[in-house]
Amino acid sequence: MPSIYSLMTATAALCFVVASSAHAGDTVMKYPPTRPGTVVDDVFGQKVADPYRWLEADVRQDKSVAAWVDAQSRFTADYLAKLPERPAFEARLKTLFDFERFGLPVKAGERLFFRHNSGLQNQSPLYVSALDGSGRQALIDPNLWAQDGATALDTWMPSPDGSKVAFFVQDGGSDWRTLKIIEVASGKVLADRVEHVKFSNLAWAGNDSVVYSRFPEPKAGEAFQALSSNQSVWVHKLGTTQRDDRQVHATPNNPRLYHGAGVTHDQRWLVVSTSTGSEKGNAVGVAAIGKGEWVVRPLISTLADEWSLIEGVGDRLWFVTSHEAPRKKVVMVDLSGLGPQFTTVVAEDAAVLDSASIVGDRLVLNYLRDVKAELRLAMLDGKPAGALALPGIGSVAGVVGEPGDAQGHFAFSGFTQPATVYGFDAGDTASAKVWAAPKLTFDPARFETRQVFYPSRDGTKIPMFVVRRKDIAGPLPTILYGYGGFNISILPGFSAARMAWLEAGGAYAVANIRGGGEYGEAWHLGGKGATKQNVFDDFIAAGEWLKANGVTAKDGLAVEGGSNGGLLVGAVVNQRPDLFAAAHPAVGVMDMLRFDRFTAGREWVFDYGFPEKEDDWRRLRAYSPYHNITPGKAYPAILVTTADTDDRVVPGHSFKYAAALQAADIGPKPHLIRIETRAGHGAGTPVSKQIEETADVYAFIAHWTGLKAKAD
């Protein structure tokens, strides 16, 4: 497929940029000017122009990039504000987000800890109560931390006796975290403060020490773009400074490895997981926790398989693993002898084992069968012990509890059902009862969810959920969502934002395409590296099926995806621009030839391929969204979204892609970029910003897919 980047020199591209313009109807849409550069790379005998490389610079450091961002933001904001569909979406979104919701409760000592949001709070505070729920009070309220609501409470963990809580603070959506400690009885935040934490677990060793992972302090001006290297595991003793922390595990000879650590509930074992960040497998090390030095010794030495710690009891550890089980199984490891003894206690099943917990003397096993959750119980030796009934099509967002205490909790949600928290007794399969349920601002009975299986290009059957109102017949404007990568399963779950689209009369489809983990490792392998084109074929086939089967109006299909899903949207729009009326690539990986040069990007090579290897480079070049925009074809309306503090997928990906779209002769529909400030890859985004962005995005999609129905 011809492209301006492969067919033109940088000088020719400059002439093309100056000559091009975009139209909305009969009106010329004059985008803010973007200066093209003259960069041309010669890679494996092919010249590849990169005229917008200058947009990779950090917006905080580079005045030219900052000016470009400001001009684009003003232009896009003016366009979106004039969309007639926007006021109705914004008004309804405020109502739909305004419902009381609870997180899973965690027991520590004689206290319960849980998140709670009254409705429109930008961030959900952490509450503490007695075990019976009495005396509830807010312990940590992140809404008090920043006027714009963009400073968030991230991971938190109470000490074993419930006297303190360790927690991470996230500012402006960045992946960087600050570790702090609060005293529960007094509500006093202690002087302890640990910086440079990123991609870290959080665990207590006793009631006076916290285990975490961090990176070396980044160089000035490089915190948001430099590659992440030399992560290590540390122990912080309360009442000391960060410089007094003790390093317990590091791999200086292999700085690209990531290390996370956990501690068993009985405080006997430190368990360290080592991985490349995105490769499927991980190594495992263990250390007996005592008064002396913690010596981490290898338990699993290779990165060939996934080993995820469930829990430990005494000298026995339970893991979910993909070792000789692509749909995963449970293995118990006995550390009491001279060497570890491995025993499979729950064999691989036809369903995929997504996660597991130990509650009381039972294993609680969260399975996926055709992307729908099942909760099964087993004894610790693997003997089946029944199942916990779930209320319909949906997903289990987590199971909490601990060995020796039969009382546990889990959260269940579906496409039209916000997360409801259930309490249960692990010894009684009929014991699940609602612990906290949201008060809804809509009627779920008005909507239907069905699952279909459609053929992809190579005949593989792909599952897809379709959600819509029951009372509207015929084809509807439809948003098709997908991800397709990194062994990540896209499960049925609730979104208040999505409900605004459904209420307004649109349909929403979620395609569980290859590259994810919905059917185990084989499903993942079917959409990574050399098989990545399967992901795009699956998604395109989903769109074709929706139209052919009367779900979607002829000119009413939009595609949406974020991160790796943003790459997906960019790629399929290039390959089949005729299929879509609108597209929303969010925080996407758009330059597949340079993704490995920023922050955590180099770890994605295990899913995408290595740009420095010729065979991989040619595959990446063939679908890279930035490099395959095809002049002379009519493209759909496109709204690119990103954020200035995204240090997971740096915003330069979206900046360059949007600039290339606006420069290309690809039809009259708008090709805009919306750039959020003090926000990142998604986590920690305040509710107010979520509402504003969703109103913009859905108004844009509705306008270009013909959605005329209004919310009641």
Side-chain angles (χ1 to χ4, degrees):
M1 182 177 293
S3 160
I4 62 170
Y5 296 104
S6 60
L7 301 183
M8 299 182 182
T9 65
T11 303
L14 170 60
C15 296
F16 175 82
V17 169
V18 172
S20 69
S21 61
H23 302 263
D26 295 326
T27 304
V28 174
M29 181 171 283
K30 296 182 179 179
Y31 298 110
T34 301
R35 168 180 55 85
T38 58
V39 175
V40 179
D41 292 325
D42 191 337
V43 188
F44 301 118
Q46 186 174 133
K47 293 187 182 298
V48 182
D50 189 358
Y52 305 113
R53 185 172 295 178
W54 64 274
L55 286 171
E56 292 178 352
D58 192 338
V59 65
R60 302 163 196 77
Q61 308 291 328
D62 190 290
K63 292 182 179 179
S64 295
V65 176
W68 183 89
V69 166
D70 181 67
Q72 292 285 336
S73 294
R74 291 176 184 274
F75 185 83
T76 299
D78 181 68
Y79 178 92
L80 295 172
K82 294 175 182 176
L83 291 174
E85 298 85 356
R86 194 186 185 286
F89 273 112
E90 183 175 28
R92 189 56 184 150
L93 283 163
K94 288 179 179 178
T95 301
L96 288 166
F97 270 88
D98 193 9
F99 68 97
E100 185 181 33
R101 47 199 179 273
F102 291 83
L104 281 165
V106 175
K107 178 182 176 182
E110 297 302 314
R111 295 182 169 105
L112 278 181
F113 299 85
F114 53 91
R115 301 287 289 269
H116 170 261
N117 194 306
S118 62
L120 292 176
Q121 290 176 286
N122 273 323
Q123 306 290 343
S124 296
L126 178 67
Y127 281 76
V128 61
S129 74
L131 294 180
D132 63 2
S134 63
R136 187 178 87 180
Q137 60 181 352
L139 178 65
I140 302 174
D141 186 356
N143 297 290
L144 305 176
W145 293 346
Q147 188 173 359
D148 65 356
T151 303
L153 170 64
D154 189 52
T155 306
W156 54 273
M157 181 65 67
S159 59
D161 65 2
S163 65
K164 304 172 191 70
V165 173
F167 61 98
F168 290 147
V169 177
Q170 176 191 26
D171 186 59
S174 170
D175 279 335
W176 292 106
R177 304 289 190 267
T178 299
L179 169 61
K180 295 184 177 182
I181 314 290
I182 190 170
E183 190 175 68
V184 176
S186 66
K188 177 184 177 182
V189 177
L190 304 182
D192 303 70
R193 182 184 179 95
V194 176
E195 303 283 3
H196 318 311
V197 178
K198 183 162 67 169
F199 308 141
S200 176
N201 296 337
L202 186 58
W204 285 86
N207 294 299
D208 64 352
S209 297
V210 177
V211 181
Y212 68 96
S213 304
R214 67 175 170 88
F215 291 90
E217 181 177 0
K219 295 180 181 178
E222 296 185 3
F224 295 99
Q225 289 202 322
L227 291 169
S228 300
S229 300
N230 283 305
Q231 190 183 36
S232 50
V233 179
W234 297 75
V235 179
H236 173 77
K237 187 173 180 60
L238 270 60
T240 66
T241 65
Q242 180 170 346
R243 64 176 174 269
D244 299 317
D245 290 358
R246 178 162 53 104
Q247 187 183 82
V248 296
H249 188 68
T251 52
N253 293 330
N254 195 343
R256 69 185 304 162
L257 292 178
Y258 291 81
H259 310 286
V263 175
T264 57
H265 84 287
D266 55 11
Q267 302 289 303
R268 289 179 66 99
W269 293 97
L270 174 76
V271 181
V272 177
S273 173
T274 295
S275 71
T276 60
S278 66
E279 197 172 11
K280 71 166 186 173
N282 61 285
V284 178
V286 294
I289 295 178
K291 294 182 180 179
E293 294 295 320
W294 300 355
V295 179
V296 178
R297 55 187 174 91
L299 181 64
I300 307 295
S301 299
T302 74
L303 303 177
D305 303 296
E306 179 181 342
W307 292 84
S308 178
L309 177 69
I310 301 172
E311 220 345 324
V313 179
D315 289 330
R316 296 179 297 166
L317 304 177
W318 283 260
F319 292 87
V320 172
T321 179
S322 63
H323 177 65
E324 298 179 347
R327 293 183 301 279
K328 299 181 187 176
K329 62 184 179 180
V330 177
V331 169
M332 186 272 288
V333 184
D334 190 338
L335 301 175
S336 62
L338 294 177
Q341 298 296 314
F342 293 76
T343 303
T344 296
V345 295
V346 178
E348 183 182 23
D349 190 85
V352 175
L353 181 56
D354 192 53
S355 61
S357 303
I358 294 179
V359 180
D361 59 356
R362 302 287 199 277
L363 286 162
V364 184
L365 307 167
N366 181 16
Y367 281 94
L368 294 179
R369 185 180 296 278
D370 284 333
V371 207
K372 300 181 287 289
E374 296 178 353
L375 273 186
R376 306 180 196 173
L377 301 175
M379 306 303 293
L380 296 184
D381 62 2
K383 180 181 178 181
L388 293 170
L390 297 176
I393 293 177
S395 58
V396 173
V399 178
V400 295
E402 62 180 28
D405 186 346
Q407 302 302 310
H409 295 83
F410 68 87
F412 179 86
S413 66
F415 286 113
T416 58
Q417 176 59 54
T420 297
V421 180
Y422 293 83
F424 69 96
D425 185 316
D428 181 358
T429 58
S431 64
K433 293 181 174 58
V434 173
W435 182 80
K439 297 177 181 178
L440 304 183
T441 55
F442 66 95
D443 181 8
R446 298 178 62 202
F447 304 89
E448 63 179 10
T449 299
R450 65 185 178 114
Q451 187 181 40
V452 301
F453 292 82
Y454 66 90
S456 187
R457 182 178 182 178
D458 63 0
T460 301
K461 292 292 187 180
I462 311 296
M464 177 166 60
F465 292 103
V466 179
V467 190
R468 59 184 289 167
R469 274 170 50 177
K470 295 177 180 177
D471 62 333
I472 304 179
L476 303 176
T478 302
I479 296 176
L480 172 62
Y481 178 88
Y483 187 79
F486 297 94
N487 204 27
I488 294 173
S489 302
I490 303 301
L491 306 179
F494 182 76
S495 163
R498 186 190 302 126
M499 290 308 305
W501 178 262
L502 294 170
E503 280 197 336
Y508 202 96
V510 177
N512 296 108
I513 55 183
R514 283 173 286 186
E518 288 88 344
Y519 290 97
E521 183 58 19
W523 201 248
H524 176 214
L525 293 175
K528 63 171 288 189
T531 61
K532 188 67 175 178
Q533 183 59 40
N534 287 339
V535 177
F536 312 136
D537 291 343
D538 292 355
F539 206 50
I540 289 169
E544 292 174 333
W545 188 95
L546 290 167
K547 288 189 175 185
N549 287 271
V551 175
T552 304
K554 178 183 177 182
D555 297 315
L557 181 61
V559 277
E560 181 174 53
S563 193
N564 176 74
L567 156 65
L568 168 68
V569 170
V572 299
V573 165
N574 282 337
Q575 293 181 15
R576 283 294 306 278
D578 60 299
L579 188 59
F580 312 111
H584 172 217
V587 292
V589 186
M590 301 314 223
D591 184 343
M592 299 308 297
L593 305 184
R594 290 175 58 80
F595 70 86
D596 60 334
R597 298 168 184 256
F598 304 98
T599 61
R602 69 177 179 186
E603 311 313 333
W604 309 336
V605 295
F606 298 104
D607 226 70
Y608 295 145
F610 294 77
E612 68 267 25
K613 296 181 179 180
E614 182 172 359
D615 287 348
D616 288 356
W617 184 90
R618 293 191 182 280
R619 280 192 292 267
L620 293 165
R621 171 66 184 80
Y623 69 77
S624 177
Y626 173 57
H627 297 92
N628 287 281
I629 298 167
T630 309
K633 289 192 175 184
Y635 269 51
I638 301 173
L639 179 59
V640 182
T641 58
T642 187
D644 63 355
T645 318
D646 189 349
D647 48 3
R648 183 82 55 83
V649 178
V650 294
H653 279 280
S654 293
F655 294 173
K656 292 169 62 175
Y657 173 66
L661 287 172
Q662 292 178 2
D665 180 15
I666 52 176
K669 292 183 179 179
H671 306 121
L672 307 174
I673 182 167
R674 185 188 189 280
I675 305 161
E676 187 59 83
T677 58
R678 277 187 46 79
H681 204 58
T685 303
V687 167
S688 59
K689 287 181 182 288
Q690 293 180 50
I691 290 172
E692 291 171 2
E693 180 173 358
T694 304
D696 285 344
V697 170
Y698 282 177
F700 182 88
I701 294 175
H703 189 77
W704 290 102
T705 58
L707 181 62
K708 302 301 182 184
K710 295 183 179 180
D712 296 339

